[in-house]
Amino acid sequence: MIKTYGCQMNERDSESISWILSNLGFVETDDMIESDIVIFNTCAVRQNAENKLLGNLGDLKHLMEANNLKKIIMVCGCVMEIDSSREFLEEKFKHVDIIFGTNSIAILEDLLEEHLSTKKQVINIDQINLKTREKIGQNRRYNFKSYVNIMYGCDNFCTYCIVPYTRGREVSREAKDIIAEIKHLVDGGVKEVTLLGQNVNSYGKTLDPKILFTDLIYKIADIDGLERIRFMTSHPKDISKELIYAFDEIDKLMPFLHIPVQSGSNRILKLMNRKYTREDYLEKIELIKSLKRDIALSTDIIVGFPDESDRDFEDTIDLVKTVGYDQAFTFIYSIRPGTLAAKMENQIPDDIKNARLQKLIEVQNDISLEKNKMYLGKTLNVLVEGKSQKDENFYSGRSEEFKLVNFKANEEDIGNIIKVIINDVKSFSMNGEKVED
Ligand code: SAH
Ligand code: SF4
Ligand code: F3S
């Protein structure tokens, strides 16, 4: 059983872990009691993500004691790359058998073998080279869509962020390996790929000869049978004009862009080491809005970064209104040990952070609803993903604009792109009716 927290990187990593273990004869389950191995793939991006691990390990220990169960317990992912957190686990949770890092998944078989022969706690957080990593396959969660790593790591060191410490230095995969992987996925029925990297716009910098992200997209778009291309995450400082124009050139490139701004205040952006100003950012948004196609926009925003004043926060609210995002992922700043912002003065009290978050959410929810209302009566192309999580009688899927759409359909529609006419909208989702061909 694999429990995955955090971002798409971790979800994709869990598919590799599942592949390695299934080659050894294991079968993935979601039944904790029945499982022989339990793996926690952890996230460290905010303190509350990190806290989940300790609760889960405690619960598992009780479950095992109460039912007299024996299991191999593994903990991996970003939290294990933070020395203090890993050392705490080694000390206090002796019942964890194998601890490994984000870059040592490729040698999991060796780690398991070592544990089975020594019966000791095995720990490995080495950086395993890219060549070894290329040999690892994936057990796909869906057979019609897939994440595809195009690069690993991050070199940006935004001052609030732990990711450069947990994922290591930025390194790009060879374009030919990425293309071979996508061709293989498409042969297996995949219609949509999402290209993954912490900063996809800087793809190719570590390659010789260098290749630009936009050129990679053009190559991928040539793959027959592939219908939809998405990517994330884009760092605003590196988004090129060529990439923006590609939305008008490549039909397969879905009209949706996640472009995290983090703050609308130049002073805070500077303290965050984001390397763009509010004006630079808005200029890129203007260019996107001038395209022939309408591109849906989403963003990430942090409130309560150290020294954020009411005025800075108002700048963020103002930017959110100016851009008019379809969706925003909003976070309360969380101190991450070892980052520069953790040591900054004027950390913001919790009550102010909470109040700012509430205000931001209210503003954004209204904008999201207004944006969604524009879809009423329109027919969208939706890739059907499965039964709706909220209502058994409905299926759900994503439109080209990445809108979550619910509708009545059949089991056979899963994995197909169907037409849905929208008749009701909320802030986060919309309902519609399948249009029969
Ligand atoms: N590479 C991506 C995002 C990685 S983390 C990017 O650059 O956009 C996802 C989001 O978590 C970030 O965009 C940021 O908004 C949020 N985040 C990261 N560190 C955080 C922290 N210490 N506290 C609160 N939110 C944080
Ligand atoms: Fe973190 Fe910044 Fe890298 Fe994104 S670009 S992962 S926010 S350091
Ligand atoms: Fe979390 Fe690591 Fe992703 S910290 S957000 S799982 S890169």
Side-chain angles (χ1 to χ4, degrees):
M1 172 165 172
I2 310 178
K3 271 186 91 74
T4 309
Y5 304 91
C7 66
Q8 297 86 353
M9 303 280 165
N10 263 12
E11 282 180 38
R12 178 63 189 76
D13 285 349
S14 289
E15 292 183 336
S16 292
I17 293 169
S18 173
W19 184 85
I20 293 171
L21 292 175
S22 61
N23 281 348
L24 299 173
F26 293 94
V27 178
E28 205 175 327
T29 175
D30 51 16
D31 184 334
M32 182 75 93
I33 295 210
E34 185 193 65
S35 64
D36 298 308
I37 304 181
V38 181
I39 302 159
F40 296 100
N41 192 2
T42 60
C43 171
V45 80
R46 284 168 290 276
Q47 186 62 46
N48 55 7
E50 210 180 317
N51 293 346
K52 283 188 193 139
L53 172 65
L54 299 182
N56 278 320
L57 282 173
D59 290 350
L60 178 58
K61 196 169 182 210
H62 287 137
L63 183 85
M64 287 167 67
E65 281 167 2
N67 296 282
N68 202 14
L69 301 170
K70 284 212 160 30
K71 293 181 192 299
I72 296 174
I73 303 174
M74 305 187 188
V75 182
C76 62
C78 288
V79 178
M80 294 304 97
E81 296 285 342
I82 305 172
D83 292 342
S84 55
S85 303
R86 190 186 59 255
E87 282 154 16
F88 179 79
L89 198 78
E90 287 168 35
E91 266 303 298
K92 299 272 186 254
F93 289 82
K94 297 258 189 266
H95 65 295
V96 173
D97 301 296
I98 303 178
I99 292 174
F100 58 103
T102 53
N103 289 310
S104 45
I105 292 170
I107 56 160
L108 178 56
E109 184 178 341
D110 300 339
L111 303 180
L112 182 59
E113 222 169 74
E114 189 183 332
H115 169 71
L116 291 174
S117 60
T118 63
K119 299 281 174 243
K120 291 204 176 109
Q121 193 179 56
V122 175
I123 301 158
N124 186 297
I125 51 153
D126 293 347
Q127 298 275 326
I128 305 303
N129 66 33
L130 201 56
K131 269 216 176 97
T132 313
R133 200 163 183 158
E134 284 298 335
K135 296 190 190 118
I136 306 300
Q138 85 193 99
N139 274 353
R140 295 203 322 259
R141 194 129 298 173
Y142 300 97
N143 52 20
F144 51 87
K145 65 168 188 174
S146 186
Y147 292 129
V148 176
N149 292 116
I150 62 166
M151 59 209 294
Y152 302 104
C154 180
D155 286 350
N156 284 316
F157 290 94
C158 303
T159 54
Y160 50 81
C161 185
I162 197 83
V163 172
Y165 306 92
T166 66
R167 292 268 161 185
R169 296 291 55 76
E170 182 180 301
V171 45
S172 296
R173 291 177 66 199
E174 294 282 347
K176 66 171 177 25
D177 292 332
I178 296 168
I179 289 174
E181 179 178 340
I182 298 176
K183 280 189 174 154
H184 180 72
L185 289 169
V186 171
D187 287 345
V190 164
K191 297 191 169 94
E192 176 183 291
V193 291
T194 303
L195 311 175
L196 290 186
Q198 295 297 350
N199 177 13
V200 289
N201 311 105
S202 74
Y203 171 78
K205 274 190 189 151
T206 58
L207 296 175
D208 185 21
K210 287 196 175 41
I211 151 169
L212 296 173
F213 179 53
T214 312
D215 296 334
L216 177 72
I217 293 188
Y218 275 95
K219 280 183 202 277
I220 292 171
D222 281 340
I223 297 173
D224 285 336
L226 180 65
E227 297 189 40
R228 291 175 157 201
I229 303 171
R230 302 185 186 280
F231 56 84
M232 76 179 352
T233 299
S234 287
H235 194 302
K237 79 176 161 68
D238 295 319
I239 287 195
S240 64
K241 288 198 169 97
E242 289 70 25
L243 178 64
I244 294 175
Y245 295 139
F247 281 100
D248 267 349
E249 300 288 326
I250 305 174
D251 290 342
K252 291 180 186 181
L253 195 54
M254 292 294 99
F256 166 79
L257 182 63
H258 181 61
I259 179 169
V261 69
Q262 313 298 355
S263 168
S265 151
N266 278 337
R267 210 173 63 81
I268 297 299
L269 286 172
K270 198 158 190 212
L271 288 174
M272 287 176 161
N273 190 31
R274 288 293 284 180
K275 300 198 178 81
Y276 53 85
T277 62
R278 169 193 176 95
E279 291 73 26
D280 300 333
Y281 182 89
L282 288 173
E283 208 174 290
K284 291 191 177 174
I285 296 290
E286 275 314 303
L287 193 60
I288 295 163
K289 287 186 176 170
S290 73
L291 293 174
K292 287 192 227 96
R293 278 167 113 188
D294 283 336
I295 312 295
L297 296 170
S298 77
T299 196
D300 291 346
I301 296 172
I302 297 175
V303 299
F305 185 84
D307 209 29
E308 183 188 66
S309 64
D310 285 340
R311 174 82 200 275
D312 295 317
F313 176 65
E314 285 308 321
D315 283 347
T316 297
I317 295 285
D318 180 74
L319 181 133
V320 164
K321 288 180 179 164
T322 306
V323 175
Y325 294 106
D326 291 77
Q327 205 183 352
F329 299 90
T330 51
F331 307 106
I332 286 183
Y333 169 70
S334 166
I335 297 179
R336 302 288 63 218
T339 60
L340 278 176
K343 293 180 217 85
M344 287 181 186
E345 285 173 13
N346 293 337
Q347 297 283 338
I348 307 297
D350 283 349
D351 54 340
I352 298 185
K353 285 183 185 168
N354 285 322
R356 285 182 186 161
L357 183 73
Q358 282 319 314
K359 164 114 194 264
L360 178 59
I361 290 174
E362 273 166 32
V363 169
Q364 180 54 43
N365 282 357
D366 287 349
I367 298 173
S368 295
L369 186 61
E370 284 311 307
K371 289 267 156 190
N372 284 351
K373 276 184 189 162
M374 295 196 285
Y375 289 83
L376 280 168
K378 284 197 176 158
T379 303
L380 302 182
N381 294 317
V382 177
L383 175 58
V384 186
E385 300 196 344
K387 282 255 169 77
S388 157
Q389 287 185 343
K390 288 216 173 113
D391 186 337
E392 270 279 295
N393 297 313
F394 283 82
Y395 283 76
S396 67
R398 293 279 176 179
S399 75
E400 297 186 347
E401 303 80 3
F402 207 59
K403 299 284 179 188
L404 181 61
V405 184
N406 300 308
F407 43 85
K408 287 216 163 100
N410 308 307
E411 197 69 23
E412 304 85 72
D413 290 318
I414 294 176
N416 290 338
I417 296 172
I418 63 165
K419 292 201 180 305
V420 178
I421 182 160
I422 303 303
N423 53 27
D424 183 26
V425 298
K426 306 185 183 84
S427 285
F428 301 113
S429 65
M430 40 186 79
N431 296 338
E433 238 167 82
K434 181 180 166 189
V435 181
E436 301 293 342
D437 299 314

